[in-house]
Every structure is written in structure tokens, then in C-alpha cells.
Amino acid sequence: MLSILKQNTAASPPSAALPFIQVLSDIAGMGGGGGLQEVRAMQVGRPLSERRTDMYSFCNPGEFQSSPFLSARGNIANLFRGSTEEGYKAYHADKYDEDKNPNGIINFGTSENKLCFDLMSKRLTQSDMNLMEPPLLQYPDWKGHMFLREEVARFLTYYCKAPAPLKAENVIVLNGCGSLFSALATVLCDPGEAVLIATPFYGGITQSLFLYGNVKLVYAYLDSKITGTSTRPFQLTVDKLEKALQDARSEGVGVKALILLNPQNPLGDIYSLSELRDYLEFAKRHELHVIVDEIYMLSVFDESATFHSVLGMDRLPDPQRTHVMWGISKDFAVSGIRFGTLYTENQDVANAVASLCYFHGVCGPVQYKVAQLLRDRGDISAGQPCPSESCHTYVTDELKTLGVPFLNRNAGFFDLHVINALPFCSQYLRTGTFEEEMLLWRRFLDNKVLLSCGKAFECSEPGWFRIIFADKTHRLQLGVWHFLPLSITQSCLHSGHLIPFSNYLLSLASSISLHFPTPSPFGFEKGFGILLLLL
């Protein structure tokens, strides 16, 4: 710590934070929600009351530097990609490697589990995975090969604790849940209509809904304060959904659906059965479709936490408008294998989505491998421990030693713990704006650590960052004890605050939410990322 302080590195001036598009993805470790409208207004961090619900009513693309080779919507797509790739491109150009590039960037921002690659590599190269029959090399049913859809139905019946066997005819297979979001937005909404979602949320949903379907997002803003009916930070309530819906309708925005993330990304919340019923009843009253993303359903690290799937409920308030998504990216630690599945009892929705599977199909050999993985219920998906608990213990032990309070979360994400959360660094933001949050994000990146900033998830309060801890111990230690301390120290010097434990703060490689310096009444949680607040 002393050696770092002696460097007394000069902080970047505020003018270095040039306004740019905040529509950034989770995987890039940056932006998500905010969008071009905010850039045009150059009012990053303005009060929520001044924000409109039609955040994605894009201005004239001519206001931006456009390409003469692209259409208007092509330029918009290009703007999305340019903004999402900044952190991710830097990481791939200078990726940490213990032998080849020991001073490279360590990725604490991408929501994937790097702890079980050896296990999954071994399983995927076994002889029973290497079937290559003619049907696998031919065009399949675009909903997916029936053998896979049957296996998905059995798998979900078992793990979702469905009251009756789920039906293969209600299963559709696409190449990832991002494609499912795009397809559902396209078939449920007309261009210009909207989907309701609580913030903070996984920022990649923004691109999935807007780029294909020109579908807006309406935000139900959550905050960290415990007031009124909110008994925990960032709690989603029906009152907040009602307010967001009525505000949107008063502005003439047609809302057609509600998105629920359970377990929640990036907060790590697991909704109780009563909460799920309340949300679904709310949607039924307003005739909204409900898209339930349960991609982290098996990644519950804390044994005391109980996940309840919508598919496990005895009765759905509106089964024809309830659509459940799941995939293997998180629970099986194979994000490079693009596979997502939709379960819906509405055959009109199923057939409409299936018509788009032509563009988002999964190749036959991969479908076979996925079916084999789903059959390994006792070996892969529900029993093989990964070395994640030691990573969690490493972090929480440091926090306990330092006396750092952190609030409890009910989602800790299985032994693949791909749980997410956000650290709050407002003490290091002089004016508490999203522009300064971006400065701090770049400072982390300059010091070889890729994180996800709160703006990536359309967080209502500047200064939160998500850190992923599901990585090998030596990379965690290197990021925690070498690169991150330098960034924090620079921020301390920049803001005039010198915190003795600053070189520990970003060792928040776990699913915990830190809140400095106010003591938290919640204890701690386990998981995959963190919600951390440096006040």
C-alpha cells in the first residue's frame, strides 16, 4: 500500500471523460441501458424524474458520425457495437496469461464461470459425445431436434420441481438466451412498443430487444434505500411496477410485457414464491406477457437459499402469457456453447418464435452434446463441486478481517456461482455522476482490471460496479492485490480520501454487496459477483 501511495499517480482530469454512448453490454464490462438519448442530451446522471420512459426513442442518426455505407438502422447497430466493445476489445488485445502475458488485463467483468473448464472439457471430449449421424448433419425441426427437446423437458421438470411433467412440444431451442429475448420481443411487440423491466438489469437485454425488434424498455427504478414497503436494498415491489407502467402509459408508450430475472442479474436476488405470484398477478391484471429468465437457476451457492422456478408453481395466473427461458452458459460454465431454451404453453408464441429459429438455430452435433450434458444430472449439473467455495472463503475472510460490512443477498449461484452484483464507489466520485463512474471504470481498465460499471445495468445510483469472482485463485489474488489497489489509490488521491483498506476493497470477488461506511444489518451472502459501495 505504501509503495502504491508513493507513486502518487496523477488522476485523469474530468475533461478526459468524453461523452459517449452508454448502451453497453454485460459481457464488455460496460454500459447497458442508458443509451443514445442521454448522450445527445449530455446529461449523464441527471435526476430520474427527468428521464423519460422511452429511453430508446433514438434521435436522428445524422446527429452522430455515421457511415455512408450503412442504412440508418445499420448506423445505430454500429453505434451499439462500438460502445459495447471498448472494454472487451481492450481485454482481448491484452489478455492476462500467466506465462505469455503476466501483465495483461484480468477480466472481473464478464459474467462467466472459469472454475470448471477442466471438468467440462474432460466431459465434452469423452467418446459418447462424439456421435456424428446423418440427421445431425441435416436441417432439423427449427424448434430443435426432438431428442433434445424431450431431454430439456425432463431436465426442467426435475430441477424446476414442476407439479406435472413438462411437455417437449412446449420447448423451443435457440442459440442462446440473447436470441430468445430478440425473438420474443419481435413476436410479442410491434416496433415502438415497450417491455417493462426493473433496474439494475443485465445490459445485454437492451441490444436484444432494440436492435431486431425496435422495442423499447420501460424502467421500474430500484434503489439501495430501505423505505416504505422496501425491506431490503433494490427490492422489486408491485407498487414500483405499477408506477413505471402508469408513467409509461401516460406518455403514450404501449407496454406489452414484463421481464423478470430470477435469480436476478446483477443483484443476485432470488424471488420468493409469494413475490413471484404478486408479479405474475400484476402482469395478468394488465394483460402483460411475462418473460422469465431463469438462466442462473442452478447457480445458487448458498445452501440456505431456495430457488423457486415459475415452472414449479402449482398454478400460473396466466399460463398463455408466461414464457420461461433457461440456458447452459452459467449453470454448466460453457458460455461458448450457444444454447438457450424457451418453455411456453402458448403455441402461437411457440410457432412465431420457431419461425425465427431459422436465423438462430443450434447445429446438430451441438444439440447432441447438450442432450448428453442434460442427461448427466448427477455428475455435472447437480453434484460435481468446483473449486469456487475456496474463492468465496478467500474474499469473505478478508472482508471479515477488515470489518467491512456487506449486505445479505439470497442468491449465491450454485457451485458454478456466476452470481453478480455491483460495488458502489461513490466516495471516489467527487461529484457523484455517471461521467465520473466512467472515469473510474477506465482507471480500472488502465490498471489492467476489467469490471462492469453500474451504468451497464442502468443502475439508478452512480458508483456501483459488478465484480465476478468465479476465477482461478491466482488470478483473483493478482487482481485483488496488485492491479485493483492502484486504481483505488488513484481514486483516493483524486477525491482526497485515503482509506487504509483501499487495496482490499476490490477483492470483492464474491456475491456480496458492500456498503461503506454505514454498518449493514444484513450479514453476508455467497455468490458470483458483488454489490459493493465505497462511500
Side-chain angles (χ1 to χ4, degrees):
M1 182 64 182
L2 289 175
S3 65
I4 295 171
L5 290 174
K6 287 178 182 178
Q7 296 180 40
N8 196 20
T9 307
S12 302
S15 59
L18 299 176
F20 73 103
I21 303 165
Q22 297 285 330
V23 183
L24 307 160
S25 71
D26 175 25
I27 199 169
M30 293 179 58
L36 306 175
Q37 186 178 4
E38 287 193 356
V39 176
R40 178 183 59 175
M42 295 186 182
Q43 293 178 356
V44 179
R46 68 188 184 277
L48 296 180
S49 60
E50 297 177 13
R51 298 186 183 188
R52 292 174 54 82
T53 55
D54 55 341
M55 296 294 289
Y56 299 98
S57 296
F58 278 61
C59 57
N60 188 332
E63 295 182 38
F64 302 97
Q65 184 175 0
S66 59
S67 168
F69 302 104
L70 299 175
S71 65
R73 61 183 178 182
N75 274 292
I76 291 174
N78 190 35
L79 288 167
F80 265 92
R81 177 169 175 79
S83 60
T84 61
E85 289 296 303
E86 181 178 350
Y88 206 44
K89 286 174 65 176
Y91 165 64
H92 278 291
D94 188 21
K95 184 184 299 186
Y96 169 83
D97 183 276
E98 187 174 4
D99 299 317
K100 298 178 181 179
N101 191 22
N103 293 316
I105 294 173
I106 294 178
N107 187 353
F108 285 172
T110 302
S111 181
E112 59 185 1
N113 177 10
K114 300 182 180 70
L115 294 169
C116 294
F117 287 165
D118 294 343
L119 174 67
M120 296 307 301
S121 176
K122 179 180 178 180
R123 178 65 188 96
L124 288 167
T125 54
Q126 290 175 353
S127 59
D128 67 323
M129 286 284 180
N130 298 322
L131 182 68
M132 199 64 66
E133 294 182 343
L136 300 180
L137 303 178
Q138 299 168 351
Y139 291 122
D141 178 340
W142 290 117
K143 289 185 179 180
H145 281 290
M146 183 52 70
F147 68 81
L148 175 57
R149 295 163 64 197
E150 290 173 346
E151 205 58 54
V152 168
R154 284 191 286 268
F155 184 91
L156 294 179
T157 296
Y158 181 83
Y159 283 108
C160 297
K161 297 180 173 59
L166 301 177
K167 299 176 182 179
E169 66 190 56
N170 296 333
V171 173
I172 306 171
V173 171
L174 275 75
N175 60 343
C177 287
S179 296
L180 280 169
F181 272 120
S182 294
L184 284 169
T186 300
V187 305
L188 298 180
C189 304
D190 288 322
E193 291 183 327
V195 175
L196 176 62
I197 191 169
T199 75
F201 66 91
Y202 164 57
I205 295 173
T206 300
Q207 292 92 312
S208 298
L209 269 62
F210 179 78
L211 287 183
Y212 269 15
N214 190 16
V215 174
K216 307 173 185 179
L217 284 173
V218 166
Y219 299 152
Y221 285 102
L222 311 182
D223 58 51
S224 60
K225 299 179 181 63
I226 300 178
T227 57
T229 58
S230 297
T231 59
R232 64 180 186 270
F234 296 105
Q235 182 175 358
L236 176 60
T237 64
V238 171
D239 287 344
K240 295 173 185 176
L241 292 174
E242 289 278 6
K243 182 180 187 307
L245 178 62
Q246 297 309 321
D247 287 349
R249 287 179 171 174
S250 69
E251 297 187 11
V253 178
V255 180
K256 299 299 291 291
L258 166 68
I259 291 176
L260 294 176
L261 310 178
N262 184 37
Q264 212 274 357
N265 176 8
L267 297 175
D269 274 340
I270 295 177
Y271 297 129
S272 67
L273 269 177
S274 62
E275 287 176 319
L276 284 174
R277 288 193 187 96
D278 289 343
Y279 305 149
L280 295 176
E281 291 287 356
F282 156 81
K284 181 180 180 180
R285 287 196 302 274
H286 296 285
E287 297 185 341
L288 301 178
H289 289 270
V290 183
I291 302 170
V292 187
D293 181 354
E294 297 185 347
I295 196 169
Y296 291 98
M297 75 173 183
L298 297 183
S299 299
V300 178
F301 187 84
D302 187 350
E303 294 181 357
S304 67
T306 302
F307 168 76
H308 299 283
S309 171
V310 165
L311 295 177
M313 297 176 68
D314 293 332
R315 182 189 64 83
L316 290 175
D318 192 350
Q320 289 297 302
R321 288 190 176 91
T322 304
H323 321 291
V324 182
M325 297 165 45
W326 178 76
I328 62 174
S329 297
K330 316 303 180 183
D331 290 338
F332 283 81
V334 286
S335 54
I337 297 179
R338 306 307 302 139
F339 170 82
T341 187
L342 174 69
Y343 191 88
T344 178
E345 295 184 15
N346 188 316
Q347 289 306 304
D348 290 338
V349 173
N351 291 333
V353 169
S355 70
L356 300 176
C357 290
Y358 178 85
F359 309 107
H360 302 290
V362 180
C363 69
V366 169
Q367 290 195 43
Y368 179 80
K369 291 177 185 291
V370 171
Q372 290 293 89
L373 282 178
L374 297 183
R375 293 188 185 103
D376 293 337
R377 291 204 289 261
D379 297 326
I380 299 295
S381 61
Q384 286 290 346
C386 293
S388 54
E389 188 170 357
S390 61
C391 297
H392 176 267
T393 301
Y394 165 74
V395 171
T396 54
D397 283 351
E398 293 299 327
L399 296 176
K400 292 174 184 176
T401 300
L402 292 167
V404 177
F406 40 93
L407 67 86
N408 186 19
R409 284 307 197 194
N410 289 329
F413 290 173
F414 193 50
D415 33 16
L416 305 185
H417 22 311
V418 183
I419 180 179
N420 315 290
L422 313 153
F424 202 7
C425 306
S426 61
Q427 175 144 351
Y428 306 109
L429 309 181
R430 287 190 301 180
T431 59
T433 65
F434 286 106
E435 284 182 315
E436 287 200 326
E437 178 184 274
M438 189 56 62
L439 276 175
L440 182 55
W441 178 87
R442 285 203 178 92
R443 191 170 294 120
F444 288 134
L445 189 62
D446 290 342
N447 287 292
K448 306 295 185 174
V449 177
L450 176 63
L451 301 178
S452 297
C453 62
K455 190 61 182 172
F457 311 101
E458 196 57 34
C459 191
S460 62
E461 304 165 358
W464 295 84
F465 290 79
R466 188 188 69 178
I467 302 175
I468 305 301
F469 86 96
D471 205 341
K472 297 294 186 181
T473 303
H474 71 275
R475 283 193 289 266
L476 285 179
Q477 292 174 335
L478 184 61
V480 167
W481 297 106
H482 179 55
F483 295 133
L484 287 177
L486 181 58
S487 300
I488 289 292
T489 300
Q490 290 177 356
S491 298
C492 289
L493 295 172
H494 173 65
S495 62
H497 297 282
L498 295 178
I499 309 293
F501 52 81
S502 65
N503 69 333
Y504 289 91
L505 294 178
L506 292 184
S507 65
L508 307 173
S510 82
S511 74
I512 26 195
S513 300
L514 303 171
H515 193 135
F516 302 87
T518 307
S520 168
F522 295 100
F524 75 93
E525 224 303 330
K526 307 174 183 178
F528 178 112
I530 37 182
L531 244 158
L532 121 78
L533 172 56
L534 315 180
L535 290 178

